[in-house]
Amino acid sequence: MSLPTEETLGYYSIQFERFNKLVESAHNMSFGMSGVLVDHPQQGLATVLFTKLVTTAQTISAISPDPKSDRFIHSHLDFTCGAAPSRVMVDTMAMLLHLGLEECPQEEFECRMLLVYWKDMRVRQKMDVFESETDKTGIVEFHSRDLKERLARNDVWKALPEKEQKQLLKKNSLLHSPEVIFTRAEYNYDEVKRMYAYWSAHTHCDSVAFFRMPEQKRGTGQVNDADLSLLGTCLEIVGNLLDDASSRFEAMFPGAESRARVYSGTAASNNVGQPPPWHG
């Protein structure tokens, strides 16, 4: 067995503790805003997407071994368990910024939403959720025509070059690319892209995910320096995402976390089976 170094264990322990504090705080915010009546669809999307971000973070927390546990050294570990949901965190954060948190003119928000509806229709078509081929053809044609007509009336869409319009529809893309979304939110997109590519390679089990495991003393499931360090990096990066999302969410819904705590008198995680504080 190759035990982790004190340096790696110390780094992982710090990130584990920090991440779990962020998750608990974000959980309370999400709980405090569930069921709240909102003034604008953007706010509704923000609450839904923030909840998705939080529940994904809770998954990462649950599968990350606790360094203070007596069973820690016996954990069955491969950092890929954290890479996959970390990748989902990045995807969710991009959509949360694009549809829920970034302020934009109403006309642009409508254009963003129309393209999401277009993407949703195409994805559902690939999933083959329609009862018959006739239904699929008729429904898809109807919604395609309807969405194109709505886009044609949108000033933001009309201002785009025709070539760009065709590409957005052909590729089922959002109005803005991930690079634009994260750059506008003042992220270093090169770093986001690099880590996303690394996590993706391990999520999809490309060769880099397993070829070099033996030389890194990985692949047995036993706690080791490489896996623990990589998992600590996951916790640090997605912790930064969650921290930023929470700050932006709190700015949109002031007092969300405190409302949850006042209602419960304790952590939201203890309120199993109880309705949210503002339900209905």
Side-chain angles (χ1 to χ4, degrees):
M1 180 184 294
S2 177
L3 298 176
T5 64
E6 289 188 11
E7 181 180 0
T8 297
L9 183 58
Y11 168 70
Y12 175 79
S13 298
I14 290 172
Q15 298 308 325
F16 179 86
E17 183 176 358
R18 171 180 177 262
F19 183 70
N20 278 279
K21 287 180 179 179
L22 290 169
V23 170
E24 180 62 28
S25 175
H27 181 192
N28 280 318
M29 286 188 195
S30 176
F31 181 81
M33 287 308 300
S34 58
V36 169
L37 297 178
V38 296
D39 298 325
H40 191 278
Q42 185 178 19
Q43 294 176 325
L45 288 166
T47 62
V48 171
L49 288 164
F50 185 73
T51 296
K52 177 175 171 56
L53 193 76
V54 172
T55 54
T56 305
Q58 288 175 317
T59 299
I60 297 173
S61 173
I63 60 183
S64 301
D66 185 350
K68 294 181 180 179
S69 169
D70 294 338
R71 299 291 302 170
F72 172 72
I73 202 63
H74 302 292
S75 303
H76 206 59
L77 179 65
D78 177 349
F79 111 93
T80 303
C81 69
S86 294
R87 182 177 179 271
V88 176
M89 289 276 288
V90 176
D91 288 332
T92 306
M93 184 64 177
M95 194 64 80
L96 174 60
L97 289 167
H98 188 61
L99 293 183
L101 296 178
E102 185 188 45
E103 293 185 8
C104 66
Q106 178 63 23
E107 195 77 3
E108 180 175 335
F109 178 74
E110 290 176 0
C111 187
R112 293 182 187 189
M113 285 302 302
L114 288 170
L115 286 171
V116 171
Y117 288 138
W118 177 272
K119 181 181 180 70
D120 177 68
M121 177 188 63
R122 295 298 178 184
V123 171
R124 283 165 50 81
Q125 185 180 7
K126 290 182 180 179
M127 291 169 59
D128 202 24
V129 299
F130 303 100
E131 293 185 4
S132 68
E133 195 65 32
T134 302
D135 287 341
K136 180 194 295 187
T137 303
I139 292 173
V140 170
E141 286 182 356
F142 172 79
H143 286 296
S144 295
R145 185 170 58 253
D146 179 61
L147 287 170
K148 285 181 178 179
E149 289 174 355
R150 290 170 182 261
L151 283 167
R153 296 193 296 268
N154 183 277
D155 290 337
V156 173
W157 179 258
K158 287 188 290 185
L160 297 176
E162 185 177 350
K163 183 178 179 180
E164 185 176 350
Q165 292 178 355
K166 290 181 178 178
Q167 285 297 312
L168 287 170
L169 296 179
K170 181 179 180 180
K171 295 182 178 181
N172 304 323
S173 300
L174 299 177
L175 181 60
H176 301 305
S177 67
E179 179 176 7
V180 171
I181 293 170
F182 279 109
T183 301
R184 282 185 173 185
E186 299 183 348
Y187 282 80
N188 183 328
Y189 182 69
D190 287 338
E191 290 184 5
V192 174
K193 184 179 179 180
R194 179 175 59 84
M195 287 309 305
Y196 187 85
Y198 188 75
W199 290 337
S200 295
H202 287 76
T203 298
H204 298 299
C205 207
D206 289 341
S207 59
V208 297
F210 59 88
F211 263 9
R212 297 165 185 80
M213 272 189 164
E215 65 191 56
Q216 296 172 334
K217 298 181 180 179
R218 299 172 57 210
T220 64
Q222 295 175 331
V223 174
N224 60 83
D225 203 67
D227 278 309
L228 204 62
S229 177
L230 289 168
L231 186 55
T233 302
C234 285
L235 295 177
E236 180 179 6
I237 293 174
V238 297
N240 291 340
L241 281 180
L242 187 61
D243 191 20
D244 181 47
S246 297
S247 297
R248 294 172 187 267
F249 190 79
E250 177 73 14
M252 178 175 278
F253 301 105
E257 182 178 7
S258 60
R259 280 196 290 274
R261 292 189 181 280
V262 167
Y263 168 76
S264 63
T266 181
S269 55
N270 293 333
N271 289 282
V272 178
Q274 294 188 29
W278 309 104
H279 186 69

